[in-house]
Amino acid sequence: RNDMLELTRRMTLSRNCFVRAAGAYIDDEGYIDNTFNVSFKNMSKHDQQVNLNLAKTIPFSKTNEQLREYRIPEEKRKPGSIWQLFDGIRETVLNDDAFPDLFYELLGEKYQPGCPYACFLFHGRYDVPVKGTDKAWQEGSEEVYEYLICAVSPLEGEYEPGVPESGFLYPAFKDRSTAGEYINLYEKDAGHSESVWQKL
């Protein structure tokens, strides 16, 4: 939980850790209606705040209830896997539309809840500060944690996503470090609905 709180403290207008945001609007039959891909700093302050609130829902949710950690088996990280796709999206910092577009198409094919929805992707970069033995922050950083947040939300109006129902944080942020073999999966109504991620 402390790891997630450390991340969300950087999700404010003054301490924003996001580089880019991208997303797709998908109709009730799973077809992509529209997409966007934009640098976070080029958004208006209002749009930045809306997107920060959306992204923050995932790591700020109840750990071990709505947000659960899963280990990715090495045998599933093969070429052509969803994990290779996530790595491609993260490593290109959302600058190559081919990777997210492929993900949106896969999601639209596998997940059709019967209503229009949005899938937003956020690329974040966090300089993990050094903590001394007395737990005080020190100068410099231990590593740069580069990550993706995905939020899947029903649309409340035209291009207006509601509270995310599913999502993920990849790779996981564990013990204040990148945990590449783990992912944090989010479900708003954990245990009461079929997970989006079971379908992919």
Side-chain angles (χ1 to χ4, degrees), residues 98-172:
F99 289 113
D101 284 353
L102 185 59
F103 174 54
Y104 306 145
E105 289 175 9
L106 179 63
L107 185 64
E109 178 186 335
K110 300 291 187 179
Y111 180 62
Q112 297 169 19
C115 63
Y117 64 95
C119 174
F120 280 28
L121 292 168
F122 304 92
H123 181 279
R125 184 175 289 140
Y126 173 42
D127 254 349
V128 183
V130 176
K131 255 188 180 181
T133 53
D134 59 356
K135 299 195 177 181
W137 302 110
Q138 298 180 349
E139 293 283 339
S141 63
E142 295 183 349
E143 68 170 283
V144 177
Y145 170 58
E146 304 231 13
Y147 60 96
L148 289 176
I149 284 180
C150 175
V152 177
S153 306
L155 292 179
E156 296 184 339
E158 188 175 11
Y159 301 142
E160 294 180 12
V163 176
E165 292 189 344
S166 296
F168 64 75
L169 169 67
Y170 176 77

Side-chain angles (χ1 to χ4, degrees), residues 76-96:
K76 291 194 174 182
R77 303 182 69 95
K78 56 188 177 182
S81 69
I82 188 72
W83 309 109
Q84 186 183 47
L85 180 57
F86 289 163
D87 284 334
I89 295 172
R90 182 173 68 104
E91 289 165 8
T92 56
V93 196
L94 284 173
N95 281 305
D96 185 342

